[in-house]
Amino acid sequence: MPCYALKANYNPTLLKLIAQNGLGADVVSGGELYFARRAGIAPEKIVFAGVGKSEAEIGQAIQLKIHSLNIESESELRVIEKVAQRLNKRVTVAVRVNPDIDAETHPYISTGLHSNKFGVTRETAINLLQRAAKHPFIDPGGIHVHIGSQIDHKEPYIETAHYLLDMHAELEHLGINIHFIDLGGGIGINYNNQLDEAENKVTYISNILPALLKPFKNKKIKILIELGRSIIGSAGFLVTRVIYIKNTPQKKFIIVDAAMNNLLRPSLYQAYHQILPLRNDHTMIEKADVVGPVCESSDFLAKGRELPVVNEGDFLVVTGAGAYGQALASAYNLRPAIPEYLVDGENIDVIFAGDTVESIADRYKW
Ligand SMILES: Cc1ncc(COP(=O)(O)O)c(C=O)c1O
């Protein structure tokens, strides 16, 4: 069952399209659960992950009878037991195992190592499933894993698949018959060359997904996958205008009207996004930092980037902005959120009108 990870982009119009295409949802908060349901995703296709679910969020998920709650600690299982008992409702859980496998991605988006806060050791996972099996309201349905994000090669996934199959066999041996394995998400996109990638259809997902699923072929167990970036990342472009060009003795700065509050990834994890002039009639190449107006030295979209020479007033396109772009945006420096447009051939629809300073003030009832 493919589930869409709402954290990548929760625009309601896109969620409705995703729901219409039959995907389930991977949510990590009561807010995402609400959006998934409102977009028309059936509860039995929703999985709920995250290390810090509140009692209220657990209650909502149990009431809705979602597919499963992915538990990440003994304390969380205790709360699930209590809430299920109080509501007098059965709930299916998966335990998130931390396999200590290196996804070889940026440390901030690596989640499958024992030094990360996510999941529990294999031993603890087995103990929790054994304990859950004894509880009258809990179905120990599965095991869950998510080793990280923006993973561009298949080897860590293949290692994880074999780890899970081995664990499944151990559970069977112990008399615990789980009925699903949730493989998480994390398949990357090629940020270096988004447009060529679209043209050539050579994507990481087409390389990784078959290799990840192969070990489970002919096994009688339901497989779930939670994909965010690989579904929505390449579909989004951030269009920004050059406000000023500034030459200093050290370097050239292209100051644009988008900033870290609109696209945080470069500042947060030194992420690379391809940047191109909207009109590609510029021939000379120069090196520059592309920076925004926010009052932080960490506010940049690119550093030391070779770009066609652009002028003040020109537009630039930042590719691969569909995932973790607007979803990570803030109103820092009181810069309102920018609008979003859905382009389908000749058709352009406004799917988010953006905020204004007044709409931000309204939130304070001011
Ligand atoms: C539990 C879980 N599942 C799925 C995802 C989606 O990851 P991606 O967008 O890289 O596919 C994440 C991302 O952080 C996650 O934490």
Side-chain angles (χ1 to χ4, degrees):
M1 179 170 87
C3 294
Y4 170 67
L6 264 77
K7 62 178 78 66
N9 186 328
Y10 52 78
N11 182 290
T13 305
L14 303 179
L15 289 184
K16 281 186 256 171
L17 280 175
I18 284 165
Q20 282 158 19
N21 279 281
L23 272 80
D26 157 42
V27 304
V28 291
S29 68
E32 289 191 355
L33 182 57
Y34 174 81
F35 265 44
R37 285 293 300 122
R38 220 171 138 172
I41 298 175
E44 62 272 17
K45 286 190 184 172
I46 301 177
V47 296
F48 195 153
V51 292
K53 300 174 204 77
S54 69
E55 205 170 311
E57 288 174 324
I58 288 169
Q60 283 163 24
I62 295 178
Q63 292 277 25
L64 278 171
K65 291 198 168 96
I66 66 164
H67 180 278
S68 48
L69 277 161
N70 295 337
I71 60 176
E72 307 226 14
S73 62
E74 192 186 341
S75 303
E76 187 185 348
L77 176 58
R78 225 177 296 127
V79 174
I80 293 173
E81 287 170 346
K82 188 176 83 180
V83 178
Q85 193 119 30
R86 190 179 69 228
L87 297 173
N88 198 21
K89 288 217 153 78
R90 260 186 91 70
V91 55
T92 300
V93 299
V95 176
R96 178 167 176 176
V97 61
N98 181 324
D100 205 27
I101 290 173
D102 190 357
E104 291 157 35
T105 185
H106 190 278
Y108 286 8
I109 46 178
S110 163
T111 54
L113 289 170
H114 281 171
S115 53
N116 302 129
K117 69 177 175 181
F118 297 100
V120 295
T121 63
R122 178 172 171 153
E123 197 190 352
T124 307
I126 290 171
N127 287 340
L128 293 183
L129 286 165
Q130 281 177 318
R131 171 172 159 174
K134 289 187 196 127
H135 195 279
F137 289 94
I138 315 252
D139 165 27
I143 40 180
H144 171 230
V145 76
H146 174 77
I147 56 170
S149 210
Q150 185 46 21
I151 303 168
D152 59 7
H153 55 300
K154 58 188 174 197
E155 287 72 19
Y157 281 111
I158 296 172
E159 195 182 340
T160 305
H162 289 289
Y163 179 96
L164 293 170
L165 279 174
D166 191 58
M167 190 173 161
H168 179 216
E170 186 181 350
L171 286 166
E172 263 184 349
H173 183 71
L174 292 168
I176 298 177
N177 294 309
I178 56 167
H179 45 93
F180 68 92
I181 296 180
D182 182 343
L183 301 171
I187 298 179
I189 59 171
N190 183 356
Y191 282 104
N192 296 328
N193 223 338
Q194 280 286 296
L195 296 182
D196 289 356
E197 187 181 66
E199 223 164 75
N200 300 332
K201 302 239 179 313
V202 184
T203 55
Y204 296 155
I205 195 164
S206 57
N207 179 34
I208 293 173
L209 199 54
L212 167 62
L213 296 178
K214 199 171 161 204
F216 300 99
K217 227 178 148 188
N218 304 325
K219 304 269 176 217
K220 285 206 177 82
I221 188 144
K222 179 175 174 182
I223 298 296
L224 275 70
I225 184 144
E226 307 164 346
L227 298 174
R229 187 190 320 264
S230 52
I231 289 180
I232 206 79
S234 301
F237 299 88
L238 169 67
V239 180
T240 183
R241 187 183 213 135
V242 178
I243 314 175
Y244 300 118
I245 307 265
K246 176 160 137 178
N247 286 298
T248 72
Q250 289 239 317
K251 54 167 89 165
K252 180 169 200 138
F253 291 98
I254 300 174
I255 303 167
V256 297
D257 62 2
M260 65 189 292
N261 74 302
N262 308 114
L263 183 65
L264 186 59
R265 298 189 68 259
S267 311
L268 189 61
Y269 10 77
Q270 296 91 43
Y272 180 99
H273 283 263
Q274 186 182 27
I275 301 179
L276 303 162
L278 189 63
R279 275 175 198 273
N280 210 357
D281 50 8
H282 312 248
T283 45
M284 271 183 36
I285 302 283
E286 63 181 356
K287 218 179 211 185
D289 284 11
V290 182
V291 301
V294 162
C295 294
E296 297 284 348
S297 292
S298 59
D299 175 30
F300 61 89
L301 298 177
K303 280 202 162 173
R305 181 72 60 86
E306 293 203 327
L307 281 170
V309 175
V310 291
N311 300 307
E312 293 175 358
D314 285 354
F315 287 97
L316 299 178
V317 177
V318 184
T319 69
Y324 308 104
Q326 188 81 290
L328 275 171
S330 74
Y332 186 42
N333 279 200
L334 261 179
R335 289 170 44 87
I338 53 178
E340 292 171 59
Y341 303 91
L342 182 65
V343 181
D344 181 9
E346 302 277 291
N347 252 355
I348 302 180
D349 288 325
V350 181
I351 58 171
F352 172 55
D355 281 329
T356 59
V357 176
E358 291 74 19
S359 69
I360 298 173
D362 285 348
R363 283 187 220 156
Y364 298 87
K365 308 206 185 316
W366 187 31

